[in-house]
Amino acid sequence: MKKPVGMFMGLMVSMLLLTHGGYAGDRDEQTDSLGGTGVTLYEISERVTFDPDPSSAGVIRRNATSPLQGFAEVGTPLCPSDLLISLPRMKSCTVIATGKDTVSTATGLGPVSGTFDVVINALGNSSVHVPDLPVISGTFSGDVDLSLAVLHHVPLGSIMGSFTITQLADPATGMLGPLSQPVVLPFKGTFRMPFAIDTDGRPARRDRKSAAFYLADDLRTLILVRPTERSIGFPTVRLEVSFGP
């Protein structure tokens, strides 16, 4: 696996240099929202349907599709530290993805899959344009455990699976091309679902301008949802990802 990883690092550096100083990182101070795990993604929106489970009579499955966007910390497999040699300003890499899961409402368990891209600011974009040119692309798959949320109304979930890097951008053309040997990156992650509470600590319905929170792993500490963790005013589901078996 080391040879493909080194190859994609080198190609990514070359591709970034073609942007005349553009880089894969965010333009603002976003590094404090990486969740301390290396990669943090946010559900920008979500489409959900409920359908009968064809394999279990009487069971309903929750099927969801969501676009995600977030940041990978420099030094993680999706944002190799080699980039700092040529791009010392870079603080993180922008990652976009589309994910689908189907979860049993009886167990809170189910499979997840999707596609992802590491993107940079394309030539011709302004400096504040959302990064949109893919330099690394691939797929991900795994299993989600939303049993705490589905069965106990605790706004936490988990995921285990792998990212597979399948394409890199050609430094000469900017076009994505397949890797001769895909790079597989095992990962695990935590979902934090936003919620609001009233002055007595009970769940509350709030508008988009009110404070919202995530729940910490100790099931007690509240983490304030920051303005950068909202999508068009709505607090987003936060997915904190770390790599390794």
Side-chain angles (χ1 to χ4, degrees), residues 8-87:
F8 88 70
M9 286 181 178
L11 284 173
M12 189 172 177
V13 170
S14 300
M15 186 61 205
L16 288 166
L17 292 177
L18 290 180
T19 64
H20 301 294
Y23 57 103
D26 53 296
R27 304 292 176 171
D28 298 312
E29 294 296 333
Q30 293 285 345
T31 52
D32 63 344
S33 66
L34 288 171
T37 62
V39 179
T40 301
L41 299 172
Y42 296 92
E43 289 188 353
I44 305 304
S45 64
E46 187 175 33
R47 182 180 187 273
V48 172
T49 62
F50 291 90
D51 303 292
D53 186 339
S55 63
S56 301
V59 175
I60 301 298
R61 299 195 73 86
R62 179 187 185 275
N63 303 301
T65 301
S66 179
L68 305 102
Q69 184 167 353
F71 304 94
E73 188 175 289
V74 174
T76 61
L78 297 185
C79 191
S81 55
D82 299 46
L83 298 178
L84 288 175
I85 298 172
S86 301
L87 303 166

Side-chain angles (χ1 to χ4, degrees), residues 4-5 7-9 11-12 134-137 165-171 174-179:
V5 170
M7 180 176 65
F8 88 70
M9 286 181 178
L11 284 173
M12 189 172 177
V135 292
I136 296 177
S137 292
I165 297 173
T166 59
Q167 292 183 299
L168 292 175
D170 184 336
M175 297 176 62
L176 287 173
L179 281 175

Side-chain angles (χ1 to χ4, degrees), residues 129-181:
H129 195 286
V130 61
D132 54 3
L133 179 67
V135 292
I136 296 177
S137 292
T139 63
F140 64 90
S141 62
D143 295 289
V144 294
D145 182 347
L146 302 181
S147 56
L148 282 175
V150 172
L151 304 180
H152 306 290
H153 306 291
V154 176
L156 291 172
S158 64
I159 181 173
M160 291 189 68
S162 59
F163 283 86
T164 302
I165 297 173
T166 59
Q167 292 183 299
L168 292 175
D170 184 336
T173 65
M175 297 176 62
L176 287 173
L179 281 175
S180 58
Q181 181 181 343

